[in-house]
Amino acid sequence: MNKRNLSLIPRIEEARESKKILTPIHFSNEEIKKHFDDSVNIIKSQFNVAKTLLKGGDQEGCKMVWRSQIVLVEGLLDFYMHEVSKYCMFQMFCDNWEKTKKYKNFMVPMSNVEKAIKMASSKDWFFEYLNDRFSRDVFLSADSMKDQLNMIGLGFANTMVKAFPSNNENDSLNKGKEIIEELFKRRNQIAHQNDRDHATATQMDITEEYVKEYIEKIECIVTSIDEIINEKDAIANCNL
C-alpha cells in the first residue's frame, strides 16, 4: 500500500494573477438611450416565446415568460437611471450644466479627494467614483427616483409632466408617483414572492396586455428623461 506524502510543500507566493481594473466608459446620452432601446426590444421579442407556449397549451409557462419580462424591464430602468446619473453629474462637474443644490451637497470620501488632487489634470476620478457609488443604489421606488432625478438636475416633477401629462403639474406628479410605486410593487412581488400574496399564497394573474402596458410606462419615463437631457445639452452647447 502506497503511503501518502504528508510533508509540507512551500507555498508559492505572488502567483495570483492581478485583475485588470476596467475604466468606466463615458457614454454619450445617445448611446445610453440606445443601450435601453436595444435591450427593451429583446425583452419585447419574448412575447413571441410566450405566444408559442400558449399555443402549445403551456399556459403557466407563458405567464412565467410574461412575469420575467416585468422583472427584466424594471432592471433596464434601474440600469438606465445609473447611466444617466453618471452622465448628468459629470456634466455638472464639468460646468456644462447648472449645479443643483443636492449636487453641491453630494458627499465624496477623503480618499477620493486625495486621488483628485493627485490627478489634477483629469476629471476621470470623479466619473470613476460615480460609477462605483451609484452601482450600489436602486432607483426604482418613487422616493428614490424623485431624489435622484432632482439631484442630477432633471427634476422629478418635470419628468412626470412629460411622461404622464395630465390637467396640471400636480396631477401629473401624483399620477407619476402612483404609477412608479405600482410598477415597483409588482416587480418585487414577482421577483421575491413568485407573484403570490403573503397572506393567502394566491398567485396574481397576469396578461399580455398588462405586460405591454407595463413596458410602455417604463418607456414613457425613459423617453421623458432622454428629452430633458437633450434639452439641457442643447442649452449648454449654445452657451459655448
Side-chain angles (χ1 to χ4, degrees), residues 44 46-51 54 62-63 66 69-70 205-215:
K44 287 180 179 179
Q46 299 308 300
F47 282 117
N48 295 327
V49 176
K51 286 179 181 178
L54 193 59
C62 170
K63 291 183 178 182
W66 288 337
Q69 288 176 291
I70 295 293
D205 195 20
I206 192 167
T207 64
E208 180 183 74
E209 182 182 8
Y210 174 83
V211 179
K212 286 183 175 179
E213 290 178 355
Y214 192 107
I215 294 175

Side-chain angles (χ1 to χ4, degrees), residues 81-127:
M81 284 293 299
H82 284 83
E83 289 211 280
V84 296
S85 292
K86 290 186 291 184
Y87 179 86
C88 297
M89 291 288 282
F90 199 70
Q91 288 293 82
M92 287 188 278
F93 185 70
C94 295
D95 294 321
N96 295 328
W97 290 10
E98 182 180 353
K99 294 175 173 60
T100 65
K101 183 178 179 179
K102 286 180 176 291
Y103 166 88
K104 293 177 181 178
N105 292 326
F106 186 65
M107 304 298 290
V108 178
M110 279 304 300
S111 59
N112 293 88
V113 174
E114 291 174 356
K115 187 175 181 180
I117 294 172
K118 294 175 182 178
M119 298 174 61
S121 61
S122 173
K123 294 182 173 66
D124 282 343
W125 70 270
F126 185 64
F127 194 79

Side-chain angles (χ1 to χ4, degrees), residues 59-69 190 194 203 206:
Q59 188 177 51
E60 290 306 311
C62 170
K63 291 183 178 182
M64 185 61 71
V65 172
W66 288 337
R67 291 188 178 97
S68 70
Q69 288 176 291
I190 293 172
N194 193 28
Q203 193 170 41
I206 192 167

Side-chain angles (χ1 to χ4, degrees), residues 2-17:
N2 294 329
K3 293 184 178 180
R4 293 172 59 192
N5 184 3
L6 300 179
S7 60
L8 296 177
I9 300 174
R11 186 179 67 180
I12 300 175
E13 298 182 356
E14 299 183 2
R16 182 181 297 176
E17 293 184 10

Side-chain angles (χ1 to χ4, degrees), residues 206-229:
I206 192 167
T207 64
E208 180 183 74
E209 182 182 8
Y210 174 83
V211 179
K212 286 183 175 179
E213 290 178 355
Y214 192 107
I215 294 175
E216 184 179 352
K217 290 170 183 175
I218 296 288
E219 289 181 303
C220 285
I221 296 171
V222 170
T223 299
S224 300
I225 291 173
D226 180 64
E227 289 178 0
I228 296 171
I229 292 175

